[in-house]
Amino acid sequence: MQILLVVGITWAGLAARQGSGHVVYWLLAILLLFLPVAGVVSYCVKLWPLEGGVYQWTKHAIGPFAGFISAWNFGFWALGAVSEVGIQTATSLSYALGPRAAWIADSHLLINSFSVGIFAIILIVNIPGFGIGRWVSHFGTAVTVLVTLLLGVLILYHPHTSLAHPHISPQRPFSLALPTVTLLTINLFSKLSFNALTGLEQVAVFAGETRNAAKTILRSAWIGAPIIAVIFILMSGSILTYIPADKVDLTGPIPQILAAAFAGGSTASGVIDWGLMLGRAAIFVLAIALVAQFAVIVAETSRLPLVAGWDYLIPAWFTRLHPKYRTPTNSLCVIVVLSILMCFFASAGTSAQEAFQLIATSANIGYGIYYLLMFAVPLVAGSRFGEPAGWLLKLACFCGIGVTLLSIAFSLVPVVDVKSPWLFALKVGLTALAVNAVGGAIYWRGSRIKNREEQLQPVVRPA
C-alpha cells in the first residue's frame, strides 16, 4: 500500500522535464524529505498505533486543535488530489486506443462521466473495507511495480529497432551533473520532493483496522522507501529515452512513453503487432491502478471525520458504521460527493479552471501545514510518552520542516504565466487562510458543544 499511496505517475513527468539531471533532484529529495518522513512514521507509529494516523499523533503530542487542523488540511488536499481522476483516465485511454482516440482527452462530457462512474466504483469497493480494499491496493501496487520493470527494460531494449534503424534517444536518461541553482530549479525541487515523495504516513490512518499496527506499518514504510525511490528514477529515465524533455506530457507521461516505445511496428494486413498490444495493455492496467490509488485515498480521508466524530468535534452522524462491515459509510458518501464536485470543477470552462487551480494550489499549502505539524511531533513530544526522539531524528525533522516551508513559499509562485504574480500569491494565501479559518470555526463550535455536554453530565459520587 505504501508504494500505491506515494507513487504518482505525473511527478515522474515533471522530473523528466528537467532533463537528465533529474537523478540529482530525486536523490536530494529522498535525503532531505523522504527519509525524514520514514523516520517520523517509525517513531510515531510505535507510540500511537491508533486509527487516524497523523491526527492522533498531533492530538496527543501537541493538542486537540493541532490534531483536528492537521486532518482538516489533509482532507482539503485529498479532495484536490483525486479531482483529476477523470482527466487522467481520459488521457490514458487516448494513448491506449491510438491517435484516432485523441479526442477523448478533450471531451468534457466523457471526462465527467468517467469521474462519476469511477467514484461510484470507489464507493462500492470501500464499503466492505479491507475485505476488498486490501486486494485493490495489492493490485494497484503490483501493477505499478510491473509497469516500472517494463519501463526499466525499455531503457535498454527498444522495440521495433534493428541494426539498420537503431534507436536514438533524444537525450541521456540519467546524469549526475548538478543542475544550475536558480529560483526556478529550487522551485521545481520543492514541488518534486514535496508532492512526489510524501505519503508514507498515510497508511497509519488505518492503524485501528490493522493487525499489530506498529510492526506492520513500520515494516511497510522501510521496505517501501527504497523501492519507491528506484521507481521514480526509472520512470523519469525511461521517459527521456523516448520523449524529448520539452515534449513530455505532464498529464499522462507514462502512457505517453508506453505509446511511443511500442509504436512503429508491423502494419501488414492480418499481422498482429504484439508489442503494440502489450504497450496498450500496460496503459489500460496502469489506468486501473490509478483508480486503485484514488480508492485508497478516499478510504483514508473518510476515516478522519470518523475519528473527529469520536472526539465529539463534528456531528456523531459521521461516526455511524455499516452494520456488517463496520466502515464509516456516511463519511465515505460525503467524501465521494465532494470529490465528484471537485472533478466537475477541474474539467469545467476556463474561468472555473482558474478557480480550480487557485483551490488546488491552496490545498498544497494545507498539505504543507499538515506536514509541519507531523514533523513537529518528535520535537515537542519529549519524554512524556516514552523514550524521546534522538538527535538524528530531530535533525531529520528540521530538514523535513525546511523542505516543507520551501514548498509552501513556492506554492505562492506560479509556474505558468499569470497577469499578476503578486495578486496570484495573495489569492492563494487568502484562500488557504480562509479554509483554515473555517476549520478553526468548526473545531471551536465542536469543542464548545463537547464541553457543555460534559458539564451537564451528572457527577457519579462514590457510595
Side-chain angles (χ1 to χ4, degrees), residues 376-451:
V377 169
L379 299 176
V380 303
S383 57
R384 291 177 293 156
F385 307 99
E387 185 177 351
W391 69 269
L392 187 59
L393 178 57
K394 290 181 179 179
L395 177 61
C397 288
F398 283 117
C399 287
I401 289 172
V403 174
T404 303
L405 289 174
L406 198 64
S407 176
I408 292 175
F410 277 111
S411 292
L412 302 174
V413 180
V415 293
V416 295
D417 292 332
V418 295
K419 291 182 179 179
S420 173
W422 291 105
L423 182 59
F424 176 85
L426 180 63
K427 288 180 178 179
V428 169
L430 289 177
T431 302
L433 183 63
V435 168
N436 279 276
V438 171
I442 292 174
Y443 172 84
W444 177 77
R445 180 181 180 276
S447 59
R448 282 192 64 192
I449 294 173
K450 176 184 177 182
N451 292 335

Side-chain angles (χ1 to χ4, degrees), residues 31-400:
L31 177 64
L32 297 177
L33 185 71
F34 195 54
L35 291 179
V37 171
V40 172
V41 171
S42 301
Y43 173 81
C44 292
V45 79
K46 287 187 289 187
L47 294 178
W48 304 288
L50 306 171
E51 188 87 353
V54 176
Y55 172 91
Q56 298 285 7
W57 306 345
T58 50
K59 182 183 77 172
H60 285 86
I62 304 174
F65 177 71
F68 181 85
I69 211 68
S70 70
W72 178 261
N73 278 286
F74 176 82
F76 180 38
W77 168 82
L79 290 176
V82 301
S83 62
E84 295 189 355
V85 63
I87 295 173
Q88 293 187 27
T89 301
T91 301
S92 296
L93 287 177
S94 69
Y95 281 115
L97 299 177
R100 292 183 179 179
W103 62 271
I104 292 177
D106 299 318
S107 172
H108 294 295
L109 176 61
L110 204 55
I111 289 171
N112 288 333
S113 300
F114 282 146
S115 299
V116 173
I118 288 170
F119 276 108
I121 294 171
I122 286 174
L123 178 61
I124 293 170
V125 166
N126 272 312
I127 287 177
F130 273 168
I132 296 178
R134 69 172 179 269
W135 295 109
V136 172
S137 67
H138 291 339
F139 171 81
T141 301
V143 168
T144 302
V145 172
L146 289 174
V147 169
T148 303
L149 292 175
L150 175 60
L151 294 176
V153 171
L154 290 175
I155 294 175
L156 302 174
Y157 171 73
H158 312 293
H160 309 314
T161 58
S162 62
L163 291 176
H165 301 283
H167 174 79
I168 301 175
S169 298
Q171 59 273 303
R172 294 170 60 188
F174 307 108
S175 172
L176 292 176
L178 293 174
T180 304
V181 179
T182 64
L183 282 178
L184 179 60
T185 57
I186 296 174
N187 187 359
L188 292 169
F189 164 75
S190 70
K191 285 178 168 53
L192 271 181
S193 57
F194 191 71
N195 290 284
L197 292 174
T198 50
L200 274 178
E201 82 293 338
Q202 292 178 24
V203 73
V205 170
F206 303 107
E209 304 165 64
T210 306
R211 291 181 183 178
N212 197 355
K215 182 179 179 181
T216 301
I217 295 171
L218 182 64
R219 183 175 62 240
S220 68
W222 286 111
I223 291 176
I227 298 175
I228 290 166
V230 171
I231 285 175
F232 273 123
I233 292 174
L234 281 179
M235 279 185 173
S236 301
S238 64
I239 293 170
L240 293 174
T241 304
Y242 294 89
I243 310 294
D246 60 343
K247 302 295 184 182
V248 175
D249 184 346
L250 296 181
T251 303
I254 304 306
Q256 182 190 27
I257 180 259
L258 289 170
F262 288 104
S266 174
T267 57
S269 177
V271 177
I272 298 176
D273 186 344
W274 291 107
L276 181 62
M277 297 298 292
L278 174 62
R280 291 183 174 181
I283 295 172
F284 272 120
V285 295
L286 192 62
I288 298 173
L290 178 69
V291 175
Q293 182 184 54
F294 288 157
V296 175
I297 292 176
V298 168
E300 65 171 315
T301 307
S302 71
R303 268 56 175 183
L304 299 177
L306 171 69
V307 293
W310 285 344
D311 288 337
Y312 305 101
L313 296 174
I314 60 175
W317 182 85
F318 286 94
T319 67
R320 294 178 185 173
L321 304 178
H322 190 280
K324 179 179 179 181
Y325 300 113
R326 314 303 295 168
T327 49
T329 48
N330 289 350
S331 182
L332 272 169
C333 289
V334 170
I335 299 300
V336 165
V337 169
L338 290 175
S339 298
I340 292 174
L341 291 176
M342 287 292 286
C343 287
F344 290 165
F345 210 19
S347 63
T350 303
S351 59
Q353 282 189 342
E354 290 176 357
F356 170 77
Q357 289 301 324
L358 181 66
I359 293 173
T361 306
S362 303
N364 285 334
I365 293 179
Y367 197 40
I369 294 171
Y370 162 82
Y371 259 84
L372 288 176
L373 290 168
M374 186 190 75
F375 281 125
V377 169
L379 299 176
V380 303
S383 57
R384 291 177 293 156
F385 307 99
E387 185 177 351
W391 69 269
L392 187 59
L393 178 57
K394 290 181 179 179
L395 177 61
C397 288
F398 283 117
C399 287

